[in-house]
Amino acid sequence: MAAGNNGASTPEDDDPFGYLYADGRAAGAQAPRQGGGYGYPGPAAQPGVPRTSYNQVRAVGERQYGQVPPQQPNGPQSYGRPAVQYAAPETHPGGAPTRSASRQQSQRGGPNTKGLLIGALAVVAVVVIGITVALLSNKSDDEKGGGQAGGQSPAPTQVQESPAPQPSKGEEKPPELPRQDAATLQLGAPATLGKDVKGAKGADGAYVMFNGVGGSASWTAEVPEDGDYTLFLTYGVPGKDAKTTLTVNGQNPRGIRMSNFAHAPAGDWEKGWTNTYSYVTLKKGVNTLKISCEQGDQCDAYLDQVWLQQGHGKG
C-alpha cells in the first residue's frame, strides 16, 4: 500500500540535535535561540495539509507554566482550548510541581521538631551543669573560709542562756549538817571511850560506853532555821535491845530505842552494829543535845556516830 502524503515538515524530518552533526549543519540545522525550537528548519508548510506532529520540541526554560499553548491554524485545536489528552501537565490549573520545588517546600514546610528537642535538652543540660558547679564552688568556699568572704570565720552568735530553774522552797535539798564521831563528844561519868569491838565507823574505831546510870555524851549543833530535824545514830548492841534517853536544849527528855536491828546473836558485839533515828525540833542557831543512861534505861549499848538532817527523813 502506498504511503500517504503527510505533508511538509513531518516529525521524522525534525532532529532536535541536528545542529550537532556536520550533515545536519549542512542541511541548515542551527543551535536553538531564545524563543526558537530545535532541529532542522524543514520545508515550508503545504497549504491544506496539516502537520501530523502536535507537540514540538522546545528549548529548556522556554515553556511558560500556567499558559495555554497557541492554537495551530486549521488544526484540531482551532475550536478552543487543546484537548486534555494533548495538554501538558503544567497547563492544568496550578501546574505540575517540580521535584526541586517539592523538595524545597519539604525543607521549608515545618519546624524541625527533632532538632528543637535536641537543642532544648542541650540547654537544660548546660544549665544543670552550671548550677551544680556553682553549688560545689560555694560549698568549697564555705569550708575554706567559714562561709564568709576572705576566709574570715563568722562572728559567734550570742545565745542568751536562761537561768537554771531553782527548786521551790518545799523542793530544796536540806543542807547536810556535819557528822560527829562519838569519841569527839563531851562525856559524862561513868561513860568512857572504847576500841576493843571491831566495826565502829568513828575515827580510830573509837566509841562511847555508858557504863551505867549517869553516863552521857553531849554535843552542840548549829542549824540554819527553826523547824523539824532528824537525829541519826549508829550504835552497837550485844544481840539484844537497849534503851537510852535524849535531851534537847535541857528540856523534855524522852527515850530512844536502840534495838537489835542487825539481828546479831546474843553476846556478839561485832555483828550488832546498826543505826536508828529520832525526830527533834530545833531552833535557829546553836542547840545542845545529850544522850544519857537514866534511871530505868537499859544502857548496854555503844554509841558510834551522831548527825542531823533538816526535815523528817529516814537516812
Side-chain angles (χ1 to χ4, degrees), residues 18 32 47 53 55 64 92 117 140 183 190-191 199 219 222 231 286 304 314:
S53 175
N55 293 321
Q64 300 297 322
H92 292 282
L117 179 58
S140 178
W219 73 99
E222 185 175 358
L231 171 64
V286 178
D304 183 14
K314 296 182 180 179

Side-chain angles (χ1 to χ4, degrees), residues 43-310:
Q46 298 180 6
V49 179
R51 179 183 173 89
T52 57
S53 175
Y54 296 101
N55 293 321
Q56 296 181 353
V57 180
R58 293 186 176 92
V60 177
E62 180 182 4
R63 186 183 301 275
Q64 300 297 322
Y65 298 105
Q67 297 181 1
V68 179
Q71 299 179 359
Q72 297 291 333
N74 299 325
Q77 298 176 357
S78 60
Y79 295 100
R81 297 175 62 86
V84 175
Q85 61 270 25
Y86 298 109
E90 59 270 23
T91 61
H92 292 282
T98 63
R99 180 177 298 179
S100 60
S102 300
R103 182 179 301 173
Q104 184 177 6
Q105 183 178 2
S106 176
Q107 293 176 352
R108 297 180 303 176
N112 190 345
T113 306
K114 184 177 181 181
L116 293 177
L117 179 58
I118 294 175
L121 292 177
V123 172
V124 172
V126 171
V127 172
V128 171
I129 292 174
I131 293 175
T132 303
V133 171
L135 292 177
L136 293 177
S137 299
N138 291 338
K139 183 178 180 181
S140 178
D141 293 340
D142 291 343
E143 291 176 353
K144 293 179 180 179
Q148 298 291 329
Q152 297 179 356
S153 300
T157 303
Q158 295 183 354
V159 180
Q160 184 176 2
E161 297 182 357
S162 300
Q166 299 295 330
S168 61
K169 184 176 180 180
E171 297 178 353
E172 289 182 357
K173 185 178 180 180
E176 185 175 353
L177 301 177
R179 184 186 299 257
Q180 294 181 260
D181 294 337
T184 64
L185 305 183
Q186 184 178 355
L187 303 183
T192 59
L193 295 179
K195 295 183 179 180
D196 295 335
V197 178
K198 305 300 180 180
K201 296 180 180 181
D204 296 330
Y207 48 86
V208 173
M209 300 182 296
F210 294 103
N211 291 330
V213 176
S216 66
S218 302
W219 73 99
T220 60
E222 185 175 358
V223 296
E225 59 185 15
D226 296 345
D228 295 333
Y229 291 81
T230 303
L231 171 64
F232 292 95
L233 309 174
T234 58
Y235 62 94
V237 291
K240 62 179 182 179
D241 296 337
K243 176 181 174 296
T244 57
T245 300
L246 172 63
T247 304
V248 178
N249 293 325
Q251 301 176 357
N252 302 323
R254 57 190 178 88
I256 296 182
R257 293 182 57 190
M258 303 175 74
S259 302
N260 182 24
F261 295 122
H263 306 290
D268 193 342
W269 286 91
E270 287 190 13
K271 294 183 179 179
W273 295 107
T274 185
N275 60 77
T276 189
Y277 62 92
S278 179
Y279 297 142
V280 295
T281 301
L282 302 178
K283 64 181 181 178
K284 180 180 179 180
V286 178
N287 294 266
T288 301
L289 296 94
K290 181 179 74 170
I291 298 176
S292 60
C293 181
E294 303 296 335
Q295 191 68 34
D297 291 339
Q298 297 174 356
C299 301
D300 202 2
Y302 297 158
L303 183 61
D304 183 14
Q305 291 180 318
V306 295
W307 71 95
L308 290 170
Q309 178 178 309
Q310 189 173 13

